[in-house]
Amino acid sequence: MRHSLLAFAFLLLCLSCKHEPDPISDPDPGPPPIVTNSTNVAVKWGLLTLQTMYRLGGNSPTYGSRSLGYAGLTMYECVVNGSPTHRSLAGQLVGLTNLPVPEAGKTYQYELALNAGQAVILKRMFDFGYNDAVRMNRIDSLERAINQQFAATVDPAVMDRSVAYGKAVAEAIFAWSKTDGGFEGFKRNFDNTYVFPRGSGFWVPPASGQAQVFTTAPLHPHWGQNRTFALANSTLSVPSMTPYSTSRSSDYYKEFAAVYQKNGSLSQEERNIAGWWADDPTETFSPPGHSYSLAGIVAVTANADLYQTAETYARVGMAVADAFINCWKAKYTYHCERPGTYIRANIDANWNSFWPEPPFPAFYSGHSVQSGATAMVLEALYGPSFRFTDTSHWGRPSDQARRVSYVSRSFTSFWSTAEEAAQSRFWGGIHTNQDNVVGLAEGKKIGTNINALTWRK
């Protein structure tokens, strides 16, 4: 009964708009049309962000995480000056010295400012310039609907002032975003000129995987050089990994042998978990999108107000953005092979992983680090023990080929979601336990650094 109520209350926080076919992703019409009773404007924009990212061609986990960092920050900064307790992050983030502020003595409706700011930042981040009419129309429709909702009760001058303020904040944040190293990263996802090392232990592009068209080029090999949101996250050292070895008694061999052994005996529950957290961006709203989805689910479950909801999206968005930067720095330091390469060379020449390999090196796990970072920021906001149901893939049809069913999952803590997300990559056969353990540990550091920003007066 509790599961049903939570699923109905959130049900992915969908807008009440009519669902239209998505021309970008061919046979799939897009995310299921799910309805929420939530009146929280921040929640509605969080959901539309996920709809915008859903199966968006070119929206890699790296670029998507960056976009969520700026979307969440924009949401927060558009409302923060209306809160008696919250503090702006201007002057605290790397290179963000100042932002527009409200006129002294003037009245503002901050929900309208958020509404305007989100419309601007989503268009700036996700207008890829091809077949995007449906996505851009959804943004316009929500912005218009919320403006109309307030028009009857808000003084026209206050409304105009609030809208102008939200747009100014968004444009300022977007201008700052253009200097981070990832601007328009969707135009250069796969670098065919990148020369990665060859030899034993090094990553080899998969013969087939999540991005089969681009099997000869790695995803965003220079992403680790991008600017982080929190300065402390830019100074984290790259963690060490187990040295390469083919000796059966070595720790390296045992890591990959464990993947091989487990993939031959997956239970139905383990299959379902591997599928639930897989979040291939060609099929869903991507792994960082799943974390942003959890932010909304938790805010609705906790009945958070406008300001805490905006803060939730901001913390999660920036945490996953910094997580992917640090993770990619490690991936392209070691260029570590995936289990499939090692297992086929040293254990079983005919082996294939349960889940398709992504087009980038293994160590350490992106799922693990961004899930760990997300868990840390949510725990700081809502406490270590928190009951909620993850309905992120509610309504998704079963994967008949892999015998995977997408059934909503319930948790009693945020860290348990991070651990499950990490473990799912081991069960998927595309990460070793080492990748996941290190990823979770690094995620803790990254999330802690986001929490250490001064969010309160």
Side-chain angles (χ1 to χ4, degrees), residues 108-109 112-117 120 143 147 157-169:
Y108 288 80
Q109 167 47 261
L112 288 173
L114 183 154
N115 185 50
V120 168
E143 181 185 22
N147 281 338
V158 172
M159 186 166 186
D160 291 345
R161 186 184 307 124
S162 303
V163 169
Y165 173 67
K167 289 181 178 180
V169 169

Side-chain angles (χ1 to χ4, degrees), residues 344-366:
R344 284 190 289 273
N346 299 283
I347 301 175
D348 182 347
N350 298 313
W351 187 82
N352 287 303
S353 59
F354 173 63
W355 211 259
E357 291 185 22
F360 42 84
F363 182 84
Y364 48 84
S365 162

